[in-house]
Amino acid sequence: MSEIKSRFEALQGATLRLRNSTAAERTAKLKAIWEAIVDRQDDLYEAGAKERSVQPVDIAGELIMVKAEIDFTSKNLAKWIKPKRVKNTMFTMGKTCEIRHQSKGVVLNLPAYNAPTAETFVPMISAMAAGNAIVVKPSEHAPLSAQILEDIIHKALPADEAYVVQGGVEVAQELLSLPFNHIYYTGGNTVGKIVMKAAADHFASVTLEMGGKSPVIIDETANLENAATKVAWGRVMNAGQVCVAPEYVIAHESIADAFSKHVAEKMDALYNSEKTGLENSEFVPRIINDRHTKRIKGLVDDALKKGAEVVFGGGSNDKKRYIEPTILSNMTEDMDIMQEEVFGPVLSLLTYKEKSEVIDLIAKRPNPLALYIYTTNSASAEYFLTNTSSGSAVVNNNCIQAGGNPNLPFGGVGASGMGRAGGYRGFVELSNERSIVHQPLDRFRDFMMQLPPYSEKYTGLVMKGIKK
Ligand code: NAD
């Protein structure tokens, strides 16, 4: 038997014990996770610097998300796991109806590389809170972070409750062949489909946290300078390797030129403040690997070949895995960049005249993970919110909806994902919401009118119920 299979079976063996563990026992383990993270925080900063050239404060941002989830879950778990009585209807009269949240069993977590610590722990906190055992396979594209995450988890939790295995596609495929009860996947659509198909073999439920092309709408009333600052930050942060990053702008034609000039100025002001050039700036992170650097460069080259114009940036340096923060205009639908998620610091600019054109442009693409609206007109914001679909939306800002507030469930819709992460919703996602009915056995409450031969009284009652 392979090591992976035997470890999986050990986790299966612990599921009943974990299912019946108390809120206090579970929160003690969350605390142990946090302490182990704090012990290794400097190593995580160093790994982030080596892998993506990000600053310690960027990784600390991920740790804060994790802490917010641990604190919120620890505070509320006793309440969440308490059986919840629900009201009766005519059909359950005299009975006691309740919902209990039970663990699903063993959960597989497959995170992406762009925020490895948050993507490992946020689902894991919900899985542990719900009483599951868990297997994590960190992304092979961030191996330094992956090893530290393994050390943290193996230090904090017993071997039959959590198992971290390193590896790439082959290991992921071996894991996907096992009868997990739930698979939690963060990554691109192509692998998302593989995960969903594999889950079907065992009827495992899935959470798919994917991405897509998140649009930004700038209407003619928007505060352009304010919007430009936020869009420039959202697009260049983590070198664009952010699932909710603004991918393309649809600006009203009357302000489009002014807006693009503002974004260009802001990209320079925020990321080239020392005037040493963007490539030398310590605030412009690197793309995770050569393959993704080439892929992003390929998207830009294809767009330029098909008539796109560079408003800002456009440079790259393969050897340094560097893509210059870039703004492109004159976009057309036949460009690959208008169909594929860039996941890099390249912003495309489109324009519109009538509001309905914005709706059509967004509807041409699969449902995005996020949608951003910049306007000072609340009727305009409502129009765009009600006529589009996305996993989340923000008015007059971007990216702030992810990870900052455990009261806001996070996730996608359609091609950008399914299921929700974080807070109570994350706990429910990884629980079996079990409905339980208790039938008292006294003669007043224990009656079964529905037995054949059907009485006139029973038939009359059901038929009357339909007419109502
Ligand atoms: P990816 O799809 O390449 O990899 C994700 C995971 O799948 C990794 O663990 C990887 O080992 C595994 N995997 C890769 N190929 C596989 C195969 N053939 N069979 C089985 N497993 C396989 O994703 P990525 O490139 O690391 O991440 C980028 C994507 O993730 C972007 O689309 C981004 O939008 C998305 N993302 C979404 C969220 C979110 O919360 N919605 C967060 C971060 C990233």
Side-chain angles (χ1 to χ4, degrees):
M1 195 192 301
S2 76
E3 159 87 3
I4 289 179
K5 192 149 187 272
S6 65
R7 294 298 297 268
F8 176 76
E9 287 182 2
L11 296 171
Q12 279 185 314
T15 52
L16 257 190
R17 187 185 82 227
L18 284 170
R19 177 168 296 160
N20 294 315
S21 59
T22 63
E25 285 164 343
R26 295 178 198 181
T27 52
K29 285 172 199 161
L30 296 180
K31 190 165 172 259
I33 287 273
W34 179 247
E35 282 167 2
I37 292 174
V38 170
D39 268 1
R40 298 295 301 273
Q41 61 176 314
D42 289 342
D43 297 332
L44 285 169
Y45 298 158
E46 204 184 317
K50 285 188 179 146
E51 286 165 348
R52 286 173 286 133
S53 292
V54 287
Q55 301 287 318
V57 72
D58 296 319
I59 305 289
E62 282 185 64
L63 300 191
I64 280 171
M65 275 186 214
V66 173
K67 184 165 190 314
E69 278 299 323
I70 290 181
D71 289 349
F72 189 77
T73 303
S74 302
K75 192 168 156 220
N76 292 295
L77 188 58
K79 188 171 70 199
W80 295 347
I81 66 172
K82 243 195 202 147
K84 285 177 188 54
R85 280 282 289 276
V86 296
K87 283 187 184 155
N88 275 319
T89 67
M90 187 176 82
F91 294 101
T92 58
M93 225 181 333
K95 307 168 206 319
T96 305
C97 298
E98 64 172 1
I99 299 169
R100 289 189 197 175
H101 290 94
Q102 277 199 329
S103 61
K104 291 195 173 188
V106 189
V107 173
L108 172 62
N109 183 16
L110 293 173
Y113 62 78
N114 61 317
T117 307
E119 288 162 16
T120 294
F121 288 115
V122 171
M124 198 167 156
I125 293 160
S126 298
M128 288 167 62
N132 296 288
I134 185 154
V135 175
V136 184
K137 189 203 78 63
S139 172
E140 66 274 32
H141 303 310
L144 303 174
S145 301
Q147 186 53 54
I148 300 162
L149 296 169
E150 175 178 339
D151 296 346
I152 289 171
I153 293 167
H154 286 168
K155 181 178 172 205
L157 299 176
D160 65 350
E161 295 185 14
Y163 169 48
V164 181
V165 54
Q166 305 291 349
V169 177
E170 271 176 31
V171 171
Q173 283 169 344
E174 183 176 352
L175 288 166
L176 288 173
S177 72
L178 296 171
F180 280 93
N181 303 97
H182 186 98
I183 305 176
Y184 195 111
Y185 164 79
T186 306
N189 285 158
T190 311
V191 181
K193 283 185 192 166
I194 296 173
V195 169
M196 206 168 166
K197 284 181 187 156
D201 282 342
H202 304 288
F203 296 111
S205 44
V206 289
T207 309
L208 301 178
E209 296 286 3
M210 301 186 291
K213 293 201 75 66
S214 297
V216 184
I217 304 162
I218 313 281
D219 86 357
E220 63 276 35
T221 73
N223 179 332
L224 297 186
E225 196 176 345
N226 179 293
T229 305
K230 291 164 179 171
V231 172
W233 164 72
R235 183 69 289 196
V236 183
M237 167 178 44
N238 204 13
Q241 301 162 111
V242 175
C243 57
V244 289
E247 280 264 320
Y248 66 107
V249 166
I250 314 173
H252 190 267
E253 59 176 17
S254 62
I255 47 84
D257 283 347
F259 178 71
S260 70
K261 273 194 203 109
H262 277 299
V263 185
E265 278 165 22
K266 296 298 174 189
M267 279 188 178
D268 196 62
L270 297 177
Y271 294 98
N272 185 25
S273 54
E274 310 273 297
K275 299 294 167 214
T276 51
L278 288 155
E279 189 171 342
N280 303 313
S281 163
E282 58 179 317
F283 298 110
V284 179
R286 294 298 178 248
I287 304 301
I288 193 75
N289 56 29
D290 294 345
R291 180 170 66 83
H292 281 296
T293 311
K294 287 200 180 92
R295 179 187 59 75
I296 299 165
K297 192 168 179 292
L299 289 173
V300 174
D301 290 346
D302 172 77
L304 295 178
K305 229 184 281 160
K306 291 173 181 162
E309 284 168 17
V310 174
V311 176
F312 183 79
S316 64
N317 183 338
D318 287 5
K319 282 195 193 106
K320 290 186 179 170
R321 290 183 279 114
Y322 168 73
I323 299 283
E324 190 169 20
T326 296
I327 307 171
L328 298 177
S329 69
N330 211 25
M331 311 308 290
T332 49
E333 286 296 325
D334 61 334
M335 296 170 183
D336 293 343
I337 203 165
M338 288 314 300
Q339 312 305 328
E340 286 172 34
E341 182 182 5
V342 184
F343 217 54
V346 183
L347 186 70
S348 304
L349 292 178
L350 309 180
T351 59
Y352 74 95
K353 196 177 197 159
E354 303 295 334
K355 277 190 166 67
S356 61
E357 289 168 44
V358 175
I359 308 307
D360 294 343
L361 274 168
I362 293 170
K364 268 188 193 156
R365 278 160 265 280
N367 283 326
L369 185 61
L371 181 138
Y372 305 113
I373 303 161
Y374 286 88
T375 180
T376 54
N377 177 334
S378 52
S380 176
E382 270 316 303
Y383 172 85
F384 291 124
L385 285 173
T386 50
N387 287 292
T388 55
S389 172
S390 62
S392 58
V394 183
V395 180
N396 288 322
N397 212 328
N398 42 236
C399 307
I400 57 162
Q401 78 278 31
N405 180 354
N407 290 304
L408 275 178
F410 179 77
V413 53
S416 57
M418 60 187 66
R420 288 294 178 268
Y424 177 66
R425 199 49 197 77
F427 163 79
V428 172
E429 180 86 3
L430 291 154
S431 302
N432 168 26
E433 255 183 326
R434 195 181 194 195
S435 294
I436 300 174
V437 180
H438 299 272
Q439 172 67 66
L441 290 180
D442 60 82
R443 69 192 177 92
F444 297 107
R445 289 178 291 174
D446 187 21
F447 48 86
M448 296 191 67
M449 280 176 86
Q450 70 272 41
L451 299 181
Y454 299 140
S455 66
E456 257 179 50
K457 193 176 170 195
Y458 173 65
T459 311
L461 213 62
V462 174
M463 293 309 181
K464 210 168 134 195
I466 286 174
K467 278 188 197 132
K468 255 192 190 167

